[in-house]
Amino acid sequence: MITLYTHEISGHSHRARLLLDILGLEYQLERVDLMAGEHKQPEFLTLNPFGQVPVLVDDEIVLSDSTAILVYLALRYDAQRQWLPEDPLQAARVQRWLSVASNEVVRGPGNARLVKLLGAGHDLEKAQQMAARLYTLIDQTLEQGQWLVGDDPTLADIAIYSYTAVAHEGGVDLAPYPNVLAWLERVRDINGFTEMTIQPREEAA
């Protein structure tokens, strides 16, 4: 049985859960109470010494980091290799977006959201500006096709989706990016899709 250690506010956790659901895998969720500091307690640190969610346990395998989990699930459970293509160029293009998901997405809309929801000490204006640059680039990319890489959804779309879907919680308006908005709806139409928990808009104001 696969176990995913997660928290509903975490976009990183949602990425992993989203792929599990799309692949139709059976798993159980183990909620880690981030607000109570459970992720910093010795029991959890034995799973991930960095003290972060998500963590995936698959029999004897223990994996942390959402990108690592996505790659593992795609290579182990996606026999068709849609989500992480075998073609070297396409795989490299997917990896490029995985890097963006770990960098610009986190430091832009991710950090803006943390400021608005939890009062984190990030520079809100800087994070929102980074988000604007990011979504301008993604909007331009999506002018060329329906998905970030190739003709079908891949890990690139999974990785970018979660924090983008809740960008408004960080005061990031996606209205200027119609291609991004249309892409969000296409992701939601993928069979097995599971939405990320969205905080009430008044809390994100």
Side-chain angles (χ1 to χ4, degrees):
M1 171 64 73
I2 296 173
T3 300
L4 183 67
Y5 292 80
T6 181
H7 189 278
E8 61 274 7
I9 203 172
S10 166
H12 292 78
S13 295
H14 179 257
R15 295 168 183 167
R17 184 178 182 184
L18 180 53
L19 186 58
L20 284 164
D21 286 338
I22 288 172
L23 292 174
L25 299 175
E26 293 187 7
Y27 65 96
Q28 62 184 16
L29 288 176
E30 189 73 32
R31 185 179 186 271
V32 180
D33 191 341
L34 301 183
M35 308 312 169
E38 190 176 344
H39 56 307
K40 302 299 183 182
Q41 299 305 309
E43 183 177 358
F44 185 79
L45 292 174
T46 62
L47 297 173
N48 181 8
F50 289 98
Q52 300 169 333
V53 293
V55 173
L56 181 125
V57 178
D58 187 3
D59 292 328
E60 301 301 316
I61 294 169
V62 179
L63 275 177
S64 57
D65 182 83
S66 61
T67 298
I69 291 170
L70 290 180
V71 169
Y72 168 78
L73 292 173
L75 289 177
R76 179 161 186 179
Y77 293 108
D78 175 23
Q80 304 303 316
R81 290 299 299 271
Q82 171 186 329
W83 297 97
L84 184 58
E86 290 183 313
D87 176 76
L89 179 58
Q90 294 295 82
R93 287 172 173 163
V94 169
Q95 179 58 56
R96 172 178 178 264
W97 286 108
L98 294 180
S99 297
V100 171
S102 298
N103 187 356
E104 287 87 351
V105 171
V106 171
R107 295 193 295 121
N111 282 354
R113 181 171 177 261
L114 288 177
V115 174
K116 286 283 193 174
L117 292 184
L118 302 178
H122 304 296
D123 185 327
L124 177 60
E125 183 177 359
K126 182 178 179 180
Q128 291 173 335
Q129 289 173 349
M130 179 174 289
R133 291 194 297 271
L134 169 68
Y135 290 125
T136 297
L137 173 61
I138 293 177
D139 203 71
Q140 292 169 351
T141 298
L142 291 168
E143 287 180 355
Q144 311 303 316
Q146 292 193 328
W147 306 104
L148 292 173
V149 177
D151 297 326
D152 297 294
T154 66
L155 293 186
D157 303 286
I158 298 294
I160 300 294
Y161 174 84
S162 298
Y163 283 116
T164 300
V166 292
H168 67 273
E169 293 182 353
V172 176
D173 183 9
L174 296 182
Y177 315 106
N179 295 318
V180 173
L181 291 174
W183 166 80
L184 287 173
E185 291 304 318
R186 287 193 292 273
V187 175
R188 293 176 181 128
D189 286 338
I190 296 173
N191 188 42
F193 172 84
T194 298
E195 185 62 272
M196 182 175 174
T197 300
I198 298 178
Q199 299 298 311
R201 289 181 182 271
E202 59 269 18
E203 293 185 12

